[in-house]
Amino acid sequence: MYRIGELAKLCEVKADTLRFYEKHGLLAPSSRSDSGYRLYNESDAERLRFILRAKAVGFTLAEITELLSIELDKSNWACADVKGLVDSKLAQVNEKISELNHFQVSLQRLSDACCGGPESAEHCSILEALESNTDNIKCENHAHHHDKSQYTKNCQSKG
Amino acid sequence: MYRIGELAKLCEVKADTLRFYEKHGLLAPSSRSDSGYRLYNESDAERLRFILRAKAVGFTLAEITELLSIELDKSNWACADVKGLVDSKLAQVNEKISELNHFQVSLQRLSDACCGGPESAEHCSILEALESNTDNIKCENHAHHHDKSQYTKNCQSKG
DNA sequence: ATAAACCTTGGAGTTTAATCTAAGGTCAAG
DNA sequence: CTTGACCTTAGATTAAACTCCAAGGTTTAT
Ligand SMILES: [Zn+2]
Ligand SMILES: [Zn+2]
Ligand SMILES: [Zn+2]
Ligand SMILES: [Zn+2]
């Protein structure tokens, strides 16, 4: 039997997190001591590890609640159900990745267009890009070139 | 001069969003009508577009607040400052992408290991993976093969 | 026996970006 | 002069997953 702090340390989470999981129905200690301390057994610890593994692949606690309800009643669920949860998560993750890739490309383009030097930002290509309606930064056209070598350094990749 | 609903429609945001931006110091209407209605001019609209462009490349409103304070006082800032904000955002985005890529790979592996059929989840490879301490799913070893052709279909890529 | 380290509870705070509600004032059309 | 669309305010709510707090009770070691 583990007390809350022991299980927390064992699984590298905080005691607060275990209380939070309990409050939200993910994991309750199987017993209490006479003085009211939570007592977790090995099976509780296994359940916690299940939760943490599911978190490690990106599931939210709400989704983990679903997974746990399947896990505890496997024979009444099909592989299709389980795979459905995984595939739906996968789709969400892919969507998010593609949004972030979009950000990544845009930010990289902004970064590449700016000399990053100590010169005044009055003609900074980044600010100019955010001011104008184009989301394209044309490195060869920009009005910003306080320093020839810097300019060349930053713009050579685009001609 | 635009009333709040007009500017909202023009820029495809909700009036609530504009009030929210005002409350948080991002964008205030340059005047009010006699009856207290917000009135935005062309320069307010430009500022809103700046905000929306910055959002479109992934900046949070707090970061946009910083960008705006630079934008309004360009000569007292250097390219280095602006590029610093972009690069720091870029680093955050890259970090998030790499976390999501990790999720993506794990989820794909889980999905690939499961037949996804109508059979009972009692021996589902996904659940087994979440129960065990390995984060590796060994397709050729798993205990789950209710249906030979399905099994082959899902596992052929790994031998 | 007393200090340190642990535990209990309920509830508030954090972050982000809105979104919604209630209760009421304004404006243009018919 | 009334209907409907629009506007005002302050404040509550949402999602996610904790994290922290106060005020007190328990255990353990010295
Ligand atoms: Zn520069
Ligand atoms: Zn610059
Ligand atoms: Zn199966
Ligand atoms: Zn399965």
Side-chain angles (χ1 to χ4, degrees):
Chain A
M1 293 298 221
Y2 310 103
R3 287 192 312 185
I4 195 168
E6 291 167 345
L7 180 60
K9 186 164 292 180
L10 189 64
C11 292
E12 297 174 281
V13 296
K14 298 203 174 159
D16 271 336
T17 302
L18 297 181
R19 287 190 205 99
F20 177 82
Y21 287 174
E22 182 174 352
K23 187 156 56 182
H24 288 75
L26 282 103
L27 175 69
S30 44
S31 58
R32 293 274 183 146
S33 75
D34 289 349
S35 57
Y37 284 18
R38 290 168 177 82
L39 294 174
Y40 299 87
N41 63 18
E42 205 40 64
S43 138
D44 297 332
E46 260 321 307
R47 187 174 166 113
L48 175 56
R49 289 189 201 101
F50 183 101
I51 293 168
L52 297 178
R53 278 179 215 114
K55 258 179 69 66
V57 302
F59 284 109
T60 64
L61 298 186
E63 291 158 346
I64 294 171
T65 299
E66 279 194 86
L67 281 170
L68 282 168
S69 81
I70 293 179
E71 169 75 11
L72 290 183
D73 187 26
K74 287 185 182 188
S75 59
N76 281 313
W77 295 91
C79 266
D81 298 318
V82 183
K83 187 166 179 159
L85 291 179
V86 169
D87 285 348
S88 136
K89 189 73 212 176
L90 194 48
Q92 282 172 42
V93 165
N94 281 329
E95 194 173 340
K96 191 76 188 162
I97 286 175
S98 102
E99 184 192 17
L100 288 175
N101 279 338
H102 185 73
F103 291 165
Q104 206 270 344
V105 167
S106 303
L107 288 165
Q108 190 65 63
R109 217 156 35 193
L110 286 173
S111 180
D112 288 349
C114 173
C115 74
E119 297 89 349
S120 156
E122 276 165 302
H123 302 288
C124 178
S125 314
I126 293 171
L127 296 178
E128 282 171 9
L130 294 174
E131 287 156 20
S132 75
N133 357 10
T134 69
D135 51 2
N136 247 44
I137 291 137
K138 282 160 250 129
C139 196
E140 62 281 9
N141 285 358
H142 75 24
H144 175 124
H145 44 106
H146 9 246
D147 174 61
K148 205 66 185 169
S149 69
Q150 280 284 1
Y151 176 80
T152 307
K153 182 179 129 243
N154 282 299
C155 300
Q156 60 196 358
S157 60
K158 289 189 181 169
Chain B
M1 293 300 221
Y2 309 104
R3 287 190 312 184
I4 196 168
E6 290 167 346
L7 180 59
K9 188 163 291 181
L10 189 65
C11 292
E12 298 173 281
V13 297
K14 299 205 173 156
D16 272 337
T17 302
L18 297 181
R19 287 190 205 99
F20 177 82
Y21 287 175
E22 181 175 353
K23 188 156 56 180
H24 289 75
L26 282 103
L27 175 67
S30 45
S31 57
R32 293 274 183 147
S33 75
D34 288 349
S35 56
Y37 285 17
R38 290 169 178 81
L39 295 174
Y40 299 88
N41 64 18
E42 206 39 65
S43 138
D44 297 332
E46 259 322 307
R47 187 174 166 111
L48 176 56
R49 289 189 201 102
F50 183 101
I51 292 167
L52 297 179
R53 278 178 216 116
K55 259 178 69 68
V57 301
F59 285 109
T60 63
L61 299 186
E63 290 159 348
I64 294 170
T65 299
E66 279 194 86
L67 281 170
L68 282 168
S69 80
I70 294 179
E71 169 75 11
L72 290 184
D73 186 27
K74 288 185 182 187
S75 58
N76 281 314
W77 296 89
C79 267
D81 298 318
V82 183
K83 187 166 180 161
L85 291 179
V86 168
D87 286 349
S88 136
K89 189 73 211 176
L90 194 48
Q92 282 171 42
V93 166
N94 281 329
E95 195 173 340
K96 192 75 189 163
I97 286 175
S98 100
E99 185 192 15
L100 288 175
N101 279 338
H102 184 75
F103 291 165
Q104 207 271 344
V105 167
S106 303
L107 288 166
Q108 190 65 62
R109 218 156 36 196
L110 287 173
S111 180
D112 289 348
C114 174
C115 74
E119 298 88 350
S120 155
E122 276 166 301
H123 303 288
C124 177
S125 312
I126 293 172
L127 295 178
E128 282 171 9
L130 294 173
E131 288 156 19
S132 75
N133 357 10
T134 70
D135 50 2
N136 247 46
I137 291 137
K138 282 159 252 132
C139 195
E140 63 281 8
N141 285 356
H142 74 23
H144 176 123
H145 43 105
H146 9 247
D147 174 61
K148 205 66 186 168
S149 68
Q150 281 283 1
Y151 175 79
T152 308
K153 182 177 129 248
N154 282 299
C155 300
Q156 61 195 358
S157 59
K158 290 188 181 171

